[in-house]
Amino acid sequence: MSTYKLTYFDVRGRGEVIRLVFAQAQVEYEDVRILPAEWDSSKTDRSRFPMGCCPVMDLDGMTMMQSMVIARHLARKFGLAGNDEKEMTMIDMMSDLCTDMLNEMFELIFEKDAKRKEDMTTAFAKKSETYMSVFTGWLEKNGDDKGFLVGNTVTLADLALFNLLEQLSTKHADILTKNPPMQAFLDRVKVEPNVAAWLEKRPKGEMDI
Amino acid sequence: MSTYKLTYFDVRGRGEVIRLVFAQAQVEYEDVRILPAEWDSSKTDRSRFPMGCCPVMDLDGMTMMQSMVIARHLARKFGLAGNDEKEMTMIDMMSDLCTDMLNEMFELIFEKDAKRKEDMTTAFAKKSETYMSVFTGWLEKNGDDKGFLVGNTVTLADLALFNLLEQLSTKHADILTKNPPMQAFLDRVKVEPNVAAWLEKRPKGEMDI
């Protein structure tokens, strides 16, 4: 049997979407959380971290990199990537957009120049409205605005959006307040049994991101 | 029959990898190149550009966004995405890494602050060595360092790497000079019949990126 070993920092960041896929599929894996001191001494080990980055996932002698590549791989295997080419493409597009917005949020968090941070904050607020309205539109189009993004079961797209919204909720709660369908979606996925079980048992993490 | 309509700017940028997939698969499509004046007046049209961004691809009433989502969709349809799950994941990872490096190159091009640009240039040079050595390693591992990245035919991974290297060659030619296997790969893919035919007939484009 294949053994999955995921290595990432002890934060949600770019790794949590992968952990959510494992949780939803109820598949066991090794959730290795590398601490700063260990990272400093091991990030140049190219056999473990070929690009000097995390997350990586080891499986049957293969080291996978890039959070969404890993998430897509697992989603295909675990039946969370769509039932046909059209669904697969929609799910891929939605997940990729979540990653883009998450990346923009991270850039904002790590920006040190005050003036630049101010401009980025304004741009992020504006752009976030576009993201939220696009996702709200997709939810509405896929039924009664009370379900999931694609089809009628949880897919990678829902987990990616849930992850984005959960991370936004700690740093940009106003975005959720302004977009009730997004808050409702967050609340809905939060109580999906497999997601809820993970939220209950997951480590608190080194930082609240 | 499905009609593919790709809308992007009149540059290579983030759109060329999609054009290369069409070229390699020899599939007809509408290559719409939107000019700055038209873009200014149409980018807020959410029915054409849901996120206010390019590229988009219209197909059977669906508007796809995100360059690599579109490229992956087409690659799956046209048999350029790998023959099994392992190949598919490798190709996905390699293509995604090319996109990351391309994005870093674009950020550098568009950076206006001189000091910041200098720091980014240093970081980019260092990071590029890691990228190039990782790709060189994959090429060596997949045979005799004279072929392709995965299997023995052109896949999306080869087109993505070709696109990256071609774009690097106009702005960062030193990277290719320092990495002969990458220059050799660029030269090799350039003469693949379908790629060569596209390079011969493609519009020169508004800018050399």
Side-chain angles (χ1 to χ4, degrees), chain A residues 96-128:
Chain A
D96 233 38
L97 282 170
C98 291
T99 308
D100 271 11
M101 187 168 176
L102 209 54
N103 283 339
E104 287 168 37
M105 191 189 86
F106 294 146
E107 275 175 33
L108 189 53
I109 291 173
F110 293 112
E111 178 58 53
K112 289 191 175 74
D113 181 274
K115 174 71 182 81
R116 199 133 163 168
K117 200 173 185 108
E118 195 186 315
D119 293 345
M120 283 166 77
T121 302
T122 309
F124 184 75
K126 199 176 163 198
K127 188 94 179 278
S128 70

Side-chain angles (χ1 to χ4, degrees), chain A residues 7-10 32-46 48-56 206:
Chain A
T7 305
Y8 188 57
F9 307 116
D10 188 24
V32 179
R33 293 169 180 248
I34 198 162
L35 295 175
E38 191 194 344
W39 178 242
D40 282 343
S41 65
S42 54
K43 67 185 171 190
T44 53
D45 179 352
R46 290 289 179 264
R48 289 183 70 191
F49 308 106
M51 287 293 304
C53 300
C54 271
V56 298
E206 186 194 355

Side-chain angles (χ1 to χ4, degrees), chain B residues 41-101:
Chain B
S41 65
S42 55
K43 67 185 171 190
T44 54
D45 179 351
R46 290 289 179 265
S47 67
R48 288 182 70 192
F49 307 106
M51 286 293 304
C53 300
C54 271
V56 298
M57 189 176 77
D58 293 293
L59 174 68
D60 300 332
M62 179 177 172
T63 300
M64 295 180 199
M65 296 179 277
Q66 304 283 87
S67 60
M68 291 314 292
V69 170
I70 299 169
R72 285 193 290 267
H73 168 84
L74 296 173
R76 284 192 299 270
K77 270 185 162 168
F78 303 159
L80 302 171
N83 295 313
D84 55 33
E85 181 52 48
K86 190 178 175 183
E87 283 192 5
M88 189 174 279
T89 301
M90 287 298 292
I91 291 167
D92 194 3
M93 173 167 67
M94 292 164 172
S95 314
D96 234 37
L97 283 171
C98 290
T99 308
D100 272 11
M101 187 170 175

